[in-house]
């Protein structure tokens, strides 16, 4: 069993409130939490309206599967989140 933690930090220019931040970042749990190999949570920047940090714990049978799932998550977020990804880290456990 292989496990990775993918953490993404976002800049949300123009976001004026936490409510707007939640709308712009909305659906992370819905989009990624359905996959039984992925756990997702807002891991930082909870009280900042113009920034966000989300972490994804990914488990799979091989490192190759881990890399593929992490890449899929990154690609989908780049296309769907109304903000800029400013930092991405992957930690293999």
């Amino acid at each position: 069993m292989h496990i990775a933690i993918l953490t993404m930090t976002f800049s949300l220019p123009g976001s004026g409130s936490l409510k707007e931040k939640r709308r712009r970042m909305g659906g992370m749990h819905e989009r990624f939490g359905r996959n039984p190999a992925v756990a997702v949570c807002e891991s930082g920047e909870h009280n900042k309206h113009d920034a966000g940090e989300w972490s994804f714990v990914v488990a799979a049978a091989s490192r190759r599967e881990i890399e593929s799932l992490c890449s899929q998550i990154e690609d989908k977020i780049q296309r769907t989140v109304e903000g800029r990804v400013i930092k991405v880290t992957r930690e293999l456990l």
Side-chain angles (χ1 to χ4, degrees):
M1 177 66 62
H2 295 267
I3 299 172
I5 300 172
L6 172 66
T7 303
M8 301 181 77
T9 305
F10 302 90
S11 171
L12 304 165
S15 181
S17 68
L18 291 175
K19 185 176 182 178
E20 184 178 349
K21 171 186 174 177
R22 303 288 184 258
R23 182 192 62 76
R24 290 174 71 177
M25 299 297 294
M28 289 286 208
H29 290 286
E30 268 306 299
R31 282 180 255 171
F32 302 104
R34 290 182 183 170
N35 184 336
V38 179
V40 58
C41 71
E42 185 177 10
S43 56
E45 308 294 357
H46 299 282
N47 295 319
K48 292 180 82 177
H49 59 81
D50 60 350
E53 179 183 275
W54 286 77
S55 292
F56 305 83
V57 178
V58 181
S62 71
R63 183 177 176 142
R64 186 173 166 171
E65 288 177 82
I66 291 282
E67 293 295 334
S68 176
L69 283 169
C70 287
S71 293
Q72 289 173 29
I73 291 168
E74 287 183 49
D75 291 343
K76 189 167 187 174
I77 286 176
Q78 291 281 4
R79 291 189 319 269
T80 60
V81 169
E82 295 179 40
R84 257 181 301 167
V85 176
I86 56 173
K87 183 178 176 184
V88 177
T89 59
R90 288 187 190 183
E91 179 182 355
L92 296 170
L93 305 178

